[in-house]
Amino acid sequence: MDTESLAAVREAALDYFVRSRAIARRRARTEQPGIDEALGWPGIVALGWPGMLAPESAGGLALGLDGAAEILRAAGEHVAPEPLLAVPGLSALLLARLDTPGAQALLRELVEGRSLPALAWQESAGDLSAVPLSCGCEAQAGHAGAVLLQGEKLMVLPGAAASGWLVSARGDDDAVLLWVPRGTEGVTETPVPLVDGSQAANLRFEQVVLPPGAVLAQGPRAQDALRHALAAGQILQAAELLGAGQAMLAQTLAYLRTRSQFGKAIGSFQALQHRCVDMFIHLEVAQATLDEVLALAAQDDLSCNRLEAEASRANARCTAAALQASRAAVQLHGAIGYTQECDLSLFYKRVLCLSAWLGNVTAHQRRHAALTGEAEIGATTAVAWTGEFPRHADWSAMPEADFRRMVRGFLQQRYPQQLRYLSHRARWSEMRDWYLTLSAQGWIAPAWPQAHGGMGLPADKLIAWIEELEQYGVARAPDQGIVMIGPLLIQHGTPEQQQRFLPRILSGENVWCQGYSEPGAGSDLAGLRTEALPARDAQGEHFVVNGQKIWTTLAQDANHIFMLVRTDKDARKQEGISFLLCDLRTPGITVRPIHTLAGEPEFCEVFFDNVRVPAGNLVGKLHGGWTIAKALLGFERIFLGSPKQSQYALGQLARLAQARRLFADPVFAQRFAALRLDVADLTAAYTRFADIVRAGKPLPASVSLLKIWASETYHRIGALLVEAGEEQGAVAGDQLLDGQTFNVLSPLIGATAAMIYGGTNEIQRNILARQVLDLPG
């Protein structure tokens, strides 16, 4: 469905749940266990929602998985008590994939609201397998075509409201799907009360004789339908969990804005603000992950294995986010959050139920790892690329697999082997030849528009580009011109500035560094004191710059600097700042390197003593530099939020794990699986913001979440790498692993810096709290 249609579905769902007082009905269910779960079903039927996933030929709405996900998310936001996930979700998904007369008849009854079939598939706690192991069926002797069913099923939802059960069983040769109506002799139903007030059932089938028409499907078709239904249902469950988490965040923010302690709103307390920001970050990453998985699930050629893997990815992320939100929300509400009278309790219990059904976080992380394979991480096996390496192409039309093969082939042919997997920040002297190689190829600026000399890669190809370079161990060249000042000039520079500077960035003639931070003005950027005074002489108008910049990355390799300077000392801090471009070869400039924690001269101090800067190097308006600075900070944060560093570190961790056979250790394998999903979901979040940049729109303040998630993911990977390295984690300098350079400490030390530069993660949390969550100052 298109964006407008999805928004309409969501609005209709939210409107219904408000009008039908869904939260109050959930409270009644919780306080009076045993209330019929089908009581609210007529309202659902009136909307046509039992058939939200059924085809139009069966009378359904055919909303697709993305449309149904919007209904489930809205249901989560209102803890709707109807079994939407169980019946219009799982059962309808299963029946819709079967084209047998019996299945189609049941689907029509479901769509019309005359039947609530429940899917009975699970046989052991925590099992995600769709293959029945013990529940079996066989032909009934003496009864032509009749079937004898024997076995047990667990956690069947809905419980007492179900009109019958769709049962998976093991036949003589393969899987069988059966319809067992309620009241069938030999079926024992044990109610299982759940903490959210709903009810499940455990079923026992003891010598149950079923007529021939009870067999809905068998063999591969039955197995395929069940696997697809469960995977799609797990994606819908992720949507409901996400909605519940988002609602709890909204309730918590409202409470923090109004609750006062010590004479002020508790939402002004930084500790509480940061807890809310972490809720927000987890939920935003979960939303990005769910959106990406829904888009993948809509592909007709998606394999069942891939669908299950993506379902586990979405479910693991949304479940973790909802659980984190529920626990934090109770804590931030204080004592009232621990009471049943607070609506938060309804959401807390609902999340507990959903997170325990259809697989928990750990189970889904394990399944994703099993279906995708850890060995793929960091693998760069040789590929035969026999095509050309075009300077320009319709990259959107090129299949991703071909694009990746092309990039790998180019790297294998052109990238210097001695520069793979560098443990230090590469210097210009090391990377110049590679930079010029990419420049000559026309590939040096993959994200720039083609009109300005870039590749103009769409989001999916840009992510593929990043992944291929990181997996191959390509070092990062001094690239402030490509990733920061170039995009800024494309958006805010004059045509003359674009013509003068952009081609020189692409050619490598101009190498740039950033001049923002000063002693005493790091995170408080508006406190800068470097001064630029307007002047005029025989050579024309210019500025005279005096002051100092610090933490300037690789300034000793650069020949140009973009910087913020104060041009009006009497104006308010943020109003008297301008944005200048300066040639570092200008007289009066001194550069002094600073050695980092790792012993590398990565940073510099830059001193300006009566430095002359032409007036034409002013970007934007005089005294309007803060607007330009914020735009550039957006580019910086999306760059710092790129998955590049985490992908590289994860590849290094995989190299070590494969060399030491650590994947055989279940504890390590589980931790690796979780980190791998952290990186995958970072990529999803990054893609959303990258699309905004490519559309030429300003980045919202929420881009700060990228920098936080990326750097903290990078740090977690680095910490596990040092731990897994054991004694190697104390060895200084480079080592060799499988004939390639390897440094156990480098990612951890790099991640430590990543959480500081570009505005510390604490400052980023402050930005999100004030500018995005609207918490009081």
Side-chain angles (χ1 to χ4, degrees), residues 119-407:
L119 178 57
W121 66 279
Q122 190 171 357
E123 297 184 1
S124 60
D127 182 23
L128 288 182
S129 171
V131 179
L133 298 176
S134 60
C135 189
C137 66
E138 59 186 24
Q140 170 69 356
H143 296 77
V147 175
L148 186 67
L149 176 63
Q150 181 80 27
E152 296 181 356
K153 296 291 182 180
L154 305 177
M155 281 294 287
V156 181
L157 279 88
S163 53
W165 303 280
L166 300 167
V167 182
S168 62
R170 178 175 42 82
D172 293 334
D173 300 315
D174 212 333
V176 179
L177 290 174
L178 303 164
W179 169 240
V180 182
R182 178 175 288 281
T184 300
E185 186 176 353
V187 179
T188 303
E189 181 181 8
T190 304
V192 180
L194 302 179
V195 69
D196 67 348
S198 59
Q199 187 185 84
N202 291 339
L203 303 176
R204 179 172 178 79
F205 306 102
E206 188 70 42
Q207 299 292 308
V208 176
V209 179
L210 298 170
V215 179
L216 301 177
Q218 55 188 330
R221 181 169 54 176
Q223 191 68 53
D224 173 80
L226 182 57
R227 289 179 64 190
H228 274 82
L230 288 172
Q234 287 155 353
I235 295 172
L236 294 178
Q237 183 188 50
E240 186 173 352
L241 280 159
L242 176 62
Q246 290 170 332
M248 285 186 285
L249 173 60
Q251 293 171 43
T252 302
L253 292 173
Y255 183 76
L256 295 187
R257 294 185 191 112
T258 56
R259 172 69 168 163
S260 294
Q261 289 283 281
F262 309 108
K264 59 174 65 177
I266 62 174
S268 64
F269 302 157
Q270 188 182 71
L272 305 191
Q273 290 182 347
H274 286 194
R275 290 289 297 273
C276 282
V277 167
D278 286 340
M279 293 169 67
F280 169 76
I281 292 172
H282 280 266
L283 291 167
E284 286 294 295
V285 172
Q287 179 76 72
T289 302
L290 178 62
D291 289 346
E292 185 171 275
V293 169
L294 284 167
L296 288 168
Q299 297 176 5
D300 293 333
D301 58 349
L302 195 71
S303 69
C304 194
N305 275 359
R306 179 71 186 279
L307 179 65
E308 288 176 328
E310 294 299 333
S312 279
R313 178 184 155 209
N315 200 284
R317 178 60 58 207
C318 291
T319 300
L323 285 170
Q324 191 259 10
S326 68
R327 293 160 186 166
V330 170
Q331 177 69 24
L332 294 176
H333 273 75
I336 191 66
Y338 188 63
T339 65
Q340 186 165 299
E341 70 182 73
C342 180
D343 283 347
L344 193 64
S345 66
L346 305 176
F347 291 84
Y348 183 91
K349 293 174 183 178
R350 181 61 180 158
V351 167
L352 284 178
C353 277
L354 287 172
S355 66
W357 185 42
L358 301 182
N360 60 25
V361 173
T362 302
H364 280 295
Q365 289 172 343
R366 280 200 301 263
R367 184 171 77 166
H368 182 272
L371 289 170
T372 55
E374 296 87 349
E376 296 175 6
I377 300 294
T380 53
T381 53
V383 292
W385 175 254
T386 57
E388 297 180 350
F389 300 118
R391 285 181 59 86
H392 305 291
D394 183 359
W395 305 116
S396 297
M398 190 175 190
E400 184 176 320
D402 289 347
F403 179 79
R404 287 180 178 273
R405 289 176 57 238
M406 180 192 71
V407 174

Side-chain angles (χ1 to χ4, degrees), residues 283-633:
L283 291 167
E284 286 294 295
V285 172
Q287 179 76 72
T289 302
L290 178 62
D291 289 346
E292 185 171 275
V293 169
L294 284 167
L296 288 168
Q299 297 176 5
D300 293 333
D301 58 349
L302 195 71
S303 69
C304 194
N305 275 359
R306 179 71 186 279
L307 179 65
E308 288 176 328
E310 294 299 333
S312 279
R313 178 184 155 209
N315 200 284
R317 178 60 58 207
C318 291
T319 300
L323 285 170
Q324 191 259 10
S326 68
R327 293 160 186 166
V330 170
Q331 177 69 24
L332 294 176
H333 273 75
I336 191 66
Y338 188 63
T339 65
Q340 186 165 299
E341 70 182 73
C342 180
D343 283 347
L344 193 64
S345 66
L346 305 176
F347 291 84
Y348 183 91
K349 293 174 183 178
R350 181 61 180 158
V351 167
L352 284 178
C353 277
L354 287 172
S355 66
W357 185 42
L358 301 182
N360 60 25
V361 173
T362 302
H364 280 295
Q365 289 172 343
R366 280 200 301 263
R367 184 171 77 166
H368 182 272
L371 289 170
T372 55
E374 296 87 349
E376 296 175 6
I377 300 294
T380 53
T381 53
V383 292
W385 175 254
T386 57
E388 297 180 350
F389 300 118
R391 285 181 59 86
H392 305 291
D394 183 359
W395 305 116
S396 297
M398 190 175 190
E400 184 176 320
D402 289 347
F403 179 79
R404 287 180 178 273
R405 289 176 57 238
M406 180 192 71
V407 174
R408 288 178 207 167
F410 185 81
L411 295 175
Q412 289 159 4
Q413 291 184 30
R414 308 283 183 85
Y415 187 73
Q417 289 295 305
Q418 72 274 14
L419 295 180
R420 292 184 69 189
Y421 301 112
L422 290 185
S423 60
H424 61 274
R425 179 68 182 269
R427 301 289 299 275
W428 178 247
S429 58
E430 297 174 283
M431 299 301 294
R432 179 181 179 277
D433 289 346
W434 170 242
Y435 190 103
L436 296 181
T437 296
L438 287 175
S439 177
Q441 181 63 33
W443 292 2
I444 189 61
W448 287 21
Q450 290 187 356
H452 289 286
M455 292 179 74
L457 294 182
D460 60 334
K461 300 303 191 305
L462 181 60
I463 293 298
W465 171 272
I466 291 171
E467 290 177 348
E468 292 301 326
L469 266 63
E470 291 305 314
Q471 289 176 10
Y472 197 73
V474 175
R476 176 187 171 190
D479 56 5
Q480 299 274 21
I482 296 295
V483 302
M484 296 187 71
I485 192 61
L488 184 87
L489 290 175
I490 289 170
Q491 284 199 6
H492 298 279
T494 65
E496 187 276 331
Q497 288 171 338
Q498 293 172 356
Q499 189 174 26
R500 181 154 53 107
F501 291 111
L502 295 182
R504 291 180 173 88
I505 293 173
L506 295 172
S507 68
E509 181 181 343
N510 287 0
V511 180
W512 288 83
C513 62
Q514 179 189 44
Y516 269 24
S517 295
E518 298 181 8
S523 297
D524 180 19
L525 191 56
L528 62 87
R529 291 181 293 179
T530 295
E531 187 176 47
L533 298 178
R536 179 192 293 270
D537 59 16
Q539 297 178 5
E541 295 183 351
H542 59 275
F543 294 92
V544 178
V545 180
N546 286 279
Q548 176 187 356
K549 296 295 181 180
I550 197 169
W551 314 128
T552 307
T553 302
L554 297 181
Q556 69 271 51
D557 288 352
N559 53 34
H560 281 73
I561 186 171
F562 53 90
M563 58 182 176
L564 289 176
V565 293
R566 186 160 298 286
T567 48
D568 186 347
K569 292 190 294 185
D570 298 325
R572 291 174 54 191
K573 287 198 332 182
Q574 295 176 351
E575 294 178 356
I577 293 173
S578 297
F579 193 98
L580 288 183
L581 310 177
C582 177
D583 189 325
L584 283 174
R585 295 162 293 195
T586 305
I589 296 177
T590 303
V591 177
R592 186 182 73 83
I594 301 171
H595 286 74
T596 68
L597 182 66
E600 298 291 338
E602 185 174 340
F603 301 127
C604 294
E605 288 180 289
V606 183
F607 299 90
F608 299 86
D609 184 11
N610 291 323
V611 175
R612 188 183 190 280
V613 178
N617 285 16
L618 173 70
V619 180
K621 297 179 180 179
L622 183 66
H623 312 317
W626 190 249
T627 300
I628 304 297
K630 287 192 295 184
L632 188 59
L633 285 171

Side-chain angles (χ1 to χ4, degrees), residues 670-717:
Q670 181 66 48
R671 295 172 69 183
F672 184 91
L675 289 170
R676 185 180 181 187
L677 288 177
D678 287 345
V679 176
D681 299 340
L682 163 64
T683 302
Y686 175 82
T687 301
R688 296 177 78 188
F689 288 101
D691 284 338
I692 295 174
V693 173
R694 265 180 292 279
K697 298 177 181 177
L699 282 165
S702 56
V703 71
S704 289
L705 74 87
L706 265 189
K707 197 261 185 182
I708 296 171
W709 186 270
S711 59
E712 293 180 3
T713 297
Y714 185 27
H715 192 270
R716 288 192 296 273
I717 298 170

